[in-house]
């Protein structure tokens, strides 16, 4: 009855997983309820057995806690020396990951998987060290307790009133190749505690009174047993899938209740809930959606929806299957899920209808094999209407029936043209073709009409005597019957295929939209862009109005992410706020606040609910079906994860900025503390000396005053550079570009440095046809001043300085060249970094001048660089782009009247 061939996609995924795991080491976890059950001892015992078989075993970390029998098991094993870590004046012994990777044993023992490493280690958690070892192909034996599992952290805290800080992600345990439960009854464990085999005597007494109370140990033991049983069950299910085992292995009770669009469905769900609770079993509620589902009345469809919602509220897993045969889909799915018991309702069809159309219950019982089938009946919740034999309501439009008539007429005309050439039995194929076309294009009703008309036309036009319904040969009566039955079967099958194709097309459309949305969200940045993409995809699939609400600083859902036509009043906002606060769906079509005009879903991400998605549609049924709701929830979850990712990215960027700001602050303080302290000390010393002016002559007082002035100027320049650097990095500097001649800017800069340049030869090389340049005169003047001061500072006194400029296509280049010692090799770019200073002890500076030059030039759209001259010295160059159209400049000198000097 069922096709038990393995799913090719599952096989391919399995092969890929095995290939990725082939070079990875194997992980075995010795799992226990709590400390003292013997996990470390069992690990060492098996390690010694592996060593006896010739396996290279290394004890990486083994915590014996002073237990003599455990320490004895270490004898004969190669022990990895610990790594000593200095922590607050004490030396901690930590696992040496680098040494273990270099040693690369076949098997390594790592005790206490949940351990947190000391500060300064490569990883913060020991399970991350284990993952590195597995990646390199090293097999690992490790130990852990049930209270260290991340998903059970709150459960353990509720039982023991102790919050466990060190946890291991569940994924690490799930990826383990083997988990061995080390179990010990609570009474024996308490006896070991009293004997000092777990902790020293004083600690043992405290442990018995607190964490190791007998009730706690019983509860933790049950958690460990259940967790291990769940893992074993998952391994058994995987084995059944991999080996395509068709029979059910009743290792664990698992119930499946099958519902339909009848009033008995809710009773079935409640009965199955009581049965599952009594058996402590997992239970599922399954509804099979056949092509007939589309022809159900609105009341029947709503009944299915309400039943599935009831099952979800009662804790069941609800599944909607799709197929042609209800019994076949149920049996196939039950075998895939290893169902041990199937619960169905007693059929209420009339006996002749069961004989004619078959019974789903009988088919399930016949093919269930080793699966138990429970047939439940009871009082009906509402009177059942008497089924009608024939529905007089047409299932298709009248135009479709007209097309069925026309297609039959066309087939008749075509058959008449071949009546003299072909046998009548061959002409039947023409009518069957017309029936297939009608069923495929217009549905079952028109195809049934076409079938009846085809039989009548075949008799009337093609069977002698012609143009009468009389039949001369009684054998044709059999032909008419077979033709009618064949045409009806073909039309019905064609219609069902069309219905299944339509349903598959709808699911494919939703799946494709979900995939497209996920792919688009991955490549997008910014919350508004992500929300816009999510809204667009949801609107395309559900044809509805959508809104995404995110909380403000106070957690209030008052505004949308993007402007939208989704109108919301105070009542709607309160519903959205309730959904956000409780992380539950509410609104239209639900049992919570159903008077709302829209359905509101919580957008749940890894860190909790981050917002609310509102959906408003006129078709209430469209969003009431569980399949539709699950699809919509998937859209909301994807949008939530994308928005959370954007927020995390923003937070990471802010954290990066804060780290960079802190680093800059530290660099600033360390770099300028001396530069600030030196002039302040000089000013303070000179000022204190001036206070004793009676003991100083006039010349000395003048020198002190001049020193105060120079140091104050130096301090002022340092502060100005710091402020300029801060303004540049914060983007506070706004360019005021104007078309100006470079000669004026260069002249102003040279004039301001006249005193410092009086002992130097300064030459300028500026072409007469140098164009106007769009620039901020004040800032470019600052660039020239910094470059000239840099040349003065790092070149011998009296050495020449050359300043030149030239135009080249769409930019102007300025150069300041000197005859100093040049730049250190490899430092041509570093000199523009903040606080970088050349190694010249007799110079003073804050290392910001060239950085400011680079910021100003890049703000103008140019670039700045430095290089050594071939004949000695250094050259600093920067470019300024020529963008836009310069203004026309009228000459102030009349070329005719102006005198010409010889």
């Amino acid at each position: 009855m069922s096709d038990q061939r393995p799913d090719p996609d599952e096989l391919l995924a399995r092969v890929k997983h095995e290939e990725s795991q082939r070079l990875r080491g194997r992980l075995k976890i010795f799992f226990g309820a709590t400390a003292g059950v013997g996990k470390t001892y069992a690990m060492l015992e098996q390690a010694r057995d592996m060593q006896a078989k010739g396996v290279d075993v290394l004890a990486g970390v083994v915590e014996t806690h002073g237990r003599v029998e455990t320490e004895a098991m270490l004898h004969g094993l190669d022990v990895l020396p610990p790594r000593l870590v200095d922590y607050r004046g004490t030396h901690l012994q930590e696992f040496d990951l680098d040494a273990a990777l270099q040693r690369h044993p076949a098997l390594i023992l790592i005790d206490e998987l949940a351990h947190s490493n000391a500060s300064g280690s490569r990883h913060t958690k020991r399970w991350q060290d284990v993952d590195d070892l597995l990646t390199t192909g090293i097999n690992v034996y490790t130990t852990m307790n049930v209270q260290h599992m991340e998903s059970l952290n709150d459960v353990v805290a509720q039982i023991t009133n102790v919050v466990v800080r060190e946890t291991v992600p569940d994924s690490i345990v799930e990826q383990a190749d083997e988990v061995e439960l080390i179990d010990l009854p609570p009474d024996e464990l308490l006896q070991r505690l009293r004997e000092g085999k777990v902790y020293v005597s004083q600690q043992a007494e405290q442990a018995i009174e607190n964490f190791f109370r007998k009730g706690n140990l019983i509860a933790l033991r049950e958690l460990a047993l259940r967790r291990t049983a769940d893992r074993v069950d998952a391994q058994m299910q995987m084995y059944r899938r991999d080996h395509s085992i068709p029979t059910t292995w009743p290792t664990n009770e698992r119930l499946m209740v099958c519902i339909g669009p009848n009033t008995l469905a809710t009773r079935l769900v409640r009965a199955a809930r009581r049965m599952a609770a009594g058996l402590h079993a997992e239970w599922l509620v399954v509804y099979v959606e056949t092509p007939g589902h589309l022809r159900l009345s609105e009341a029947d469809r709503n009944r299915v929806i309400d039943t599935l919602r009831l099952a979800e509220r009662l804790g069941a897993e609800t599944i909607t299957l799709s197929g042609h045969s209800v019994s076949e889909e149920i049996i196939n799915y039950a075998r895939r899920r290893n169902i041990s018991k199937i619960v169905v309702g007693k059929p209420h069809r009339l006996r002749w209808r069961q004989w004619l159309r078959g019974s789903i219950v009988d088919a399930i019982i016949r093919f269930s094999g080793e699966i138990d089938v429970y047939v439940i009946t009871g009082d009906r919740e509402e009177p059942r209407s008497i089924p009608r034999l024939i529905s007089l309501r047409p299932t298709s439009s009248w135009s479709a029936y007209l097309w069925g008539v026309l297609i039959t007429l066309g087939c008749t005309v075509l058959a008449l043209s071949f009546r003299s050439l072909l046998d009548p039995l061959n002409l039947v194929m023409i009518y069957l073709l017309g029936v297939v076309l009608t069923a495929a294009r217009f549905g079952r009703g028109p195809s049934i009409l076409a079938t009846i008309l085809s039989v009548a036309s075949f008799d009337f036009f093609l069977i002698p005597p012609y143009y009468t319904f009389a039949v001369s040969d009684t054998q044709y009566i059999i032909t008419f019957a077979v033709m009618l039955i064949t045409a009806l079967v073909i039309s019905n099958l064609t219609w069902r295929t069309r219905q299944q194709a339509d349903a598959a097309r709808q699911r494919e459309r939703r799946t494709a939209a979900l995939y497209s949305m996920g792919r688009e969200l991955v490549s997008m940045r910014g919350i508004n862009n992500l929300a816009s993409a999510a809204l667009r995809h949801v609107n395309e699939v559900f044809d509805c109005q959508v809104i995404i609400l995110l909380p403000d600083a106070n957690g209030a859902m008052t505004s949308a992410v993007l402007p939208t036509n989704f109108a919301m009043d105070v009542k709607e906002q309160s519903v959205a706020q309730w959904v956000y606060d409780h992380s539950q769906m509410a609104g239209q079509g639900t049992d919570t606040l159903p008077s709302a005009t829209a359905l509101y879903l919580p957008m749940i991400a890894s860190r909790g609910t981050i917002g609310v998605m509102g959906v408003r549609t006129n078709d209430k049924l469209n969003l009431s079906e569980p399949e539709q709701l699950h699809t919509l929830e998937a859209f909301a979850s994807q949008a939530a994860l994308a928005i959370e990712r954007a927020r995390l990215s923003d937070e990471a960027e802010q954290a990066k900025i804060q780290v960079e700001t802190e680093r800059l602050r530290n660099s600033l303080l360390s770099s300028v503390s001396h530069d600030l302290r030196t002039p302040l000390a000089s000013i303070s010393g000179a000022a204190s000396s001036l206070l004793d002016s009676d003991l100083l002559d006039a010349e000395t007082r003048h020198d002190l005053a001049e020193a105060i002035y120079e140091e104050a100027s130096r301090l002022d320049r340092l502060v100005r550079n710091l402020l300029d650097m801060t303004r540049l990095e914060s983007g506070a500097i706004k360019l005021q570009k104007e078309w100006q001649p470079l000669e004026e800017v260069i002249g102003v800069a040279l004039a301001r440095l006249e005193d410092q340049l009086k002992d130097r030869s300064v030459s300028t090389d500026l072409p007469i046809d140098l164009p106007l340049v769009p620039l901020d005169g004040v800032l470019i003047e600052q660039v020239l001043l910094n470059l000239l001061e840099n040349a003065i500072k790092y070149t011998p006194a009296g050495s020449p300085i050359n300043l030149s400029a030239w135009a080249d296509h769409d930019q102007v280049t300025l150069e300041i060249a000197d005859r100093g010692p040049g730049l250190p090799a490899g430092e041509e770019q570093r000199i523009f970094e903040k606080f970088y200073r050349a190694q010249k002890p007799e110079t003073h500076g804050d290392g910001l001048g060239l950085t400011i030059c680079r910021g100003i030039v890049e703000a103008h759209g140019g670039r700045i660089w430095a290089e050594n001259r071939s004949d000695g010295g250094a050259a600093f160059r920067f470019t300024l782009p020529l963008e836009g159209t310069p203004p026309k400049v009228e000459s102030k000198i009349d070329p005719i009247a102006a005198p010409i000097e010889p």
Side-chain angles (χ1 to χ4, degrees):
M1 176 179 179
S2 59
D3 184 9
Q4 297 299 332
R5 292 177 298 176
D7 188 351
D9 293 334
E10 291 184 1
L11 284 178
L12 181 60
R14 180 67 176 170
V15 169
K16 290 182 178 179
H17 176 72
E18 291 178 354
E19 182 64 23
S20 64
Q21 295 293 104
R22 186 172 59 86
L23 301 177
R24 184 178 173 88
R26 294 179 59 83
L27 174 63
K28 181 173 183 177
I29 299 177
F30 294 84
F31 192 64
T34 185
V37 296
K39 301 182 300 300
T40 304
Y41 188 90
M43 179 180 68
L44 290 171
E45 190 175 32
Q46 292 196 19
R48 292 176 66 90
D49 292 340
M50 296 298 293
Q51 187 183 47
K53 296 177 182 179
V55 177
D56 181 17
V57 179
L58 175 65
V61 177
V62 177
E63 302 290 351
T64 62
H65 298 289
R67 302 166 191 160
V68 177
E69 64 274 13
T70 305
E71 291 179 350
M73 295 296 292
L74 272 174
H75 293 314
L77 293 177
D78 188 7
V79 179
L80 181 71
R83 181 174 60 91
L84 298 179
V85 179
D86 187 10
Y87 181 73
R88 296 182 179 179
T90 61
H91 293 287
L92 302 179
Q93 293 185 353
E94 290 290 346
F95 171 58
D96 195 342
L97 176 60
D98 294 328
L101 292 173
Q102 185 176 4
R103 168 72 166 73
H104 204 279
L107 173 64
I108 189 170
L109 311 181
I110 306 293
D111 209 355
E112 297 185 0
L113 183 62
H115 174 75
S116 296
N117 295 329
S119 178
S121 303
R122 180 187 299 184
H123 299 299
T124 59
K125 297 291 185 179
R126 183 168 290 172
W127 61 263
Q128 295 173 307
D129 296 336
V130 169
D131 189 66
D132 279 359
L133 295 170
L134 295 172
T135 303
T136 60
I138 301 175
N139 298 326
V140 177
Y141 281 0
T142 187
T143 64
M144 69 170 292
N145 297 324
V146 68
Q147 67 262 27
H148 295 299
M149 294 197 66
E150 181 66 40
S151 61
L152 299 178
N153 188 259
D154 55 343
V155 177
V156 173
Q158 183 178 355
I159 294 173
T160 63
N161 293 323
V162 176
V163 178
V164 179
R165 302 297 181 186
E166 295 180 329
T167 59
V168 176
D170 288 37
S171 59
I172 300 298
V173 182
E174 293 168 358
Q175 293 171 8
D177 298 277
E178 186 177 353
V179 176
E180 181 175 337
L181 178 66
I182 309 301
D183 186 40
L184 193 66
D187 291 333
E188 293 185 21
L189 178 58
L190 291 173
Q191 182 62 30
R192 284 174 53 85
L193 275 168
R194 296 187 183 96
E195 294 173 356
K197 295 182 178 180
V198 180
Y199 299 116
V200 296
S201 300
Q202 184 178 0
Q203 292 178 341
E205 292 298 329
Q206 295 176 354
I208 293 175
E209 295 176 359
N210 295 284
F211 186 84
F212 282 81
R213 292 195 298 269
K214 186 174 181 178
N216 292 352
L217 297 180
I218 294 174
L220 293 175
R221 188 187 187 198
E222 181 180 0
L223 285 177
L225 291 170
R226 287 186 178 276
R227 190 68 185 187
T228 308
D230 291 341
R231 175 178 171 81
V232 173
D233 183 71
Q235 290 177 332
M236 184 266 294
Q237 297 281 17
M238 184 178 297
Y239 181 86
R240 291 181 67 252
R241 287 196 301 269
D242 293 343
H243 293 78
S244 302
I245 297 176
T247 58
T248 298
W249 290 358
T251 56
N252 185 25
E253 294 290 356
R254 188 175 285 111
L255 276 68
M256 184 174 76
V257 55
C258 312
I259 66 169
N262 52 60
T263 58
L264 190 62
T266 55
R267 176 177 175 82
L268 288 177
V269 169
R270 294 190 179 99
R273 171 66 180 87
R274 293 192 296 269
M275 186 182 299
L279 296 173
H280 300 284
E282 176 186 356
W283 65 298
L284 303 82
V285 176
V286 175
Y287 171 69
V288 181
E289 185 180 274
T290 62
H293 173 82
L294 302 176
R295 296 182 288 107
L296 293 177
S297 65
E298 183 176 355
D300 288 338
R301 296 178 69 183
N302 286 337
R303 186 178 297 114
V304 173
I305 294 167
D306 293 339
T307 304
L308 291 174
R309 286 183 177 174
L310 173 64
E312 290 181 344
R313 290 197 301 270
L314 294 177
E317 177 186 354
T318 60
I319 300 97
T320 301
L321 303 176
S322 178
H324 169 66
S325 172
V326 174
S327 57
E328 183 176 351
E329 292 298 325
I330 288 175
I331 293 298
N332 289 342
Y333 190 77
R335 295 192 187 282
R336 288 199 302 269
R337 294 295 299 269
N338 201 37
I339 298 297
S340 60
K341 292 177 171 54
I342 297 177
V343 180
V344 294
K346 181 179 291 186
H348 290 286
R349 284 180 178 173
L350 300 176
R351 294 297 301 174
W352 70 269
R353 295 191 71 188
Q354 293 185 32
W355 177 84
L356 182 63
R357 302 182 62 179
S359 171
I360 296 175
V361 176
D362 291 342
I364 292 175
I365 294 175
R366 186 181 306 112
F367 296 103
S368 60
E370 68 286 347
I371 304 176
D372 297 332
V373 180
Y374 292 79
V375 183
I376 296 178
T377 186
D379 297 334
R380 303 183 184 91
E381 297 178 1
E382 58 184 45
R384 182 169 57 91
S385 59
I386 300 176
R388 292 174 295 178
L389 299 180
I390 299 176
S391 176
L392 300 178
R393 181 174 58 88
T395 58
S396 303
S397 63
W398 292 110
S399 62
Y401 287 93
L402 178 60
W403 274 107
V405 175
L406 293 177
I407 290 175
T408 305
L409 179 61
C411 292
T412 301
V413 173
L414 184 62
L416 285 173
S417 63
F418 291 98
R419 185 174 64 179
S420 60
L421 301 176
L422 299 176
D423 187 85
L425 295 180
N426 293 327
L427 298 177
V428 171
M429 300 297 105
I430 298 177
Y431 285 103
L432 292 180
L433 178 61
V435 170
V436 171
L437 293 176
T438 304
R441 181 66 181 85
F442 302 106
R444 186 165 63 174
S447 68
I448 294 176
L449 176 61
T451 300
I452 297 173
L453 292 177
S454 296
V455 175
S457 300
F458 179 73
D459 181 19
F460 189 80
F461 292 103
L462 302 177
I463 301 300
Y466 301 121
Y467 310 115
T468 178
F469 290 105
V471 179
S472 59
D473 189 349
T474 56
Q475 294 182 358
Y476 282 110
I477 297 177
I478 299 177
T479 303
F480 297 154
V482 172
M483 179 181 175
L484 179 62
I485 295 173
T486 303
L488 287 174
V489 171
I490 291 176
S491 65
N492 192 46
L493 291 176
T494 305
W495 175 79
R496 286 183 175 180
T497 303
R498 178 191 174 194
Q499 295 297 101
Q500 291 176 354
D502 291 340
R505 193 178 300 111
Q506 292 179 1
R507 292 191 181 93
E508 181 182 4
R509 178 169 167 261
R510 298 191 192 103
T511 304
L514 195 61
Y515 171 75
S516 176
M517 173 180 167
R519 183 176 57 182
E520 186 175 353
L521 293 180
V522 168
S523 60
M524 279 190 169
R525 295 293 183 269
I527 293 179
N528 286 345
N529 293 333
L530 294 171
S532 177
L535 295 178
R536 184 177 69 256
H537 284 283
V538 174
N539 185 40
E540 289 175 356
V541 174
F542 296 96
D543 190 21
C544 56
Q545 297 178 356
V546 192
I547 191 172
I548 291 180
L549 301 170
L550 298 180
D552 56 17
N554 299 322
M557 314 298 293
T558 57
S559 60
V561 177
L562 295 172
T564 177
N565 57 355
F566 195 105
M568 292 187 65
D569 53 16
V570 177
K571 178 182 177 182
E572 297 293 315
Q573 291 180 358
S574 63
V575 176
Q577 187 67 48
W578 187 93
V579 170
Y580 177 75
D581 294 337
H582 295 81
S583 299
Q584 296 181 14
M585 187 188 312
Q588 182 187 39
T590 67
D591 296 332
T592 305
L593 304 173
S595 60
T597 61
L599 174 66
Y600 295 93
L601 300 96
M603 300 176 63
I604 302 176
S606 60
R607 297 196 299 180
T609 304
I610 67 168
V612 173
M613 176 181 288
V615 179
R616 179 177 293 148
T617 175
N618 295 326
D619 185 7
K620 295 183 179 180
L621 187 61
N622 185 37
L623 297 182
S624 298
E625 296 181 0
E627 183 180 359
Q628 299 278 13
L629 282 178
H630 292 162
T631 304
L632 190 57
E633 288 175 342
F635 276 101
S637 298
Q638 278 208 355
L641 291 173
I643 293 176
E644 183 185 51
R645 173 177 54 81
R647 285 182 171 176
L648 291 174
S649 178
D650 293 341
E651 291 176 4
E653 187 66 26
Q654 291 297 326
K656 181 179 179 181
I657 293 175
Q658 291 178 358
V659 170
E660 182 65 22
T661 302
E662 184 68 17
R663 188 186 67 82
L664 178 61
R665 184 182 69 85
N666 294 335
S667 300
L668 176 63
L669 291 176
S670 62
S671 299
V672 306
S673 59
H674 175 74
D675 295 315
L676 289 172
R677 187 167 56 249
T678 300
L680 287 175
S682 300
I683 293 173
S684 177
S688 63
S689 298
L690 285 176
L691 292 177
D692 300 330
S693 57
D694 295 339
L695 304 177
L696 302 175
D697 55 21
E699 184 178 357
T700 303
R701 288 197 302 271
H702 179 272
D703 292 341
L704 291 174
E706 186 176 2
I708 292 175
Y709 174 77
E710 290 177 354
E711 294 299 329
S713 299
R714 176 183 170 188
L715 187 61
D716 176 67
R717 183 168 59 254
L718 173 60
V719 173
R720 281 190 289 105
N721 283 341
L722 291 174
L723 292 176
D724 289 342
M725 193 68 249
T726 304
R727 293 170 61 200
L728 280 172
E729 291 192 339
S730 64
I733 291 183
K734 305 298 181 182
L735 299 181
Q736 302 293 331
K737 285 188 177 183
E738 295 180 355
W739 290 90
Q740 300 183 39
L742 281 177
E743 296 88 340
E744 293 185 2
V745 181
I746 295 173
V748 173
L750 292 175
R752 291 183 57 181
L753 295 176
E754 184 178 359
D755 292 341
Q756 301 180 44
L757 296 171
K758 60 184 179 180
D759 296 330
R760 293 177 180 266
S761 172
V762 179
S763 61
T764 59
D765 183 9
L766 305 177
I768 299 177
D769 57 349
L770 199 63
L772 298 178
V773 182
L775 51 82
D776 188 319
V778 176
L779 295 180
I780 296 300
E781 179 186 329
Q782 183 65 38
V783 172
L784 293 172
L785 289 174
N786 289 353
L787 292 177
L788 289 170
E789 287 180 344
N790 187 76
I792 296 171
K793 186 185 304 181
Y794 290 98
T795 58
S799 60
I801 297 176
N802 177 261
L803 196 153
S804 59
W806 62 88
D808 184 14
H809 300 294
D810 56 350
Q811 66 182 13
V812 171
T813 304
L814 287 88
E815 178 189 79
I816 297 178
D818 59 54
R819 290 297 181 184
L823 301 173
E827 305 293 322
E828 290 83 355
Q829 294 300 322
R830 288 197 59 198
I831 59 177
F832 293 99
E833 296 178 1
K834 291 189 292 288
F835 308 116
Y836 177 82
R837 286 177 282 194
Q839 301 300 321
K840 191 175 181 182
E842 64 272 13
T843 61
H844 301 282
D846 48 45
L848 291 175
L850 295 180
T851 307
I852 294 172
C853 292
R854 182 178 63 180
I856 294 174
V857 171
E858 291 179 352
H860 279 77
R863 70 184 188 94
I864 186 171
W865 71 98
E867 59 186 31
N868 287 317
R869 303 173 71 180
S870 59
D871 52 351
F876 289 81
R877 300 187 183 97
F878 66 92
T879 62
L880 296 173
L882 297 174
E883 299 174 343
T885 303
K888 294 182 180 180
V889 180
E890 298 181 358
S891 177
K892 298 182 180 180
I893 302 176
D894 189 345
I896 299 177
I900 301 176
E901 298 182 359

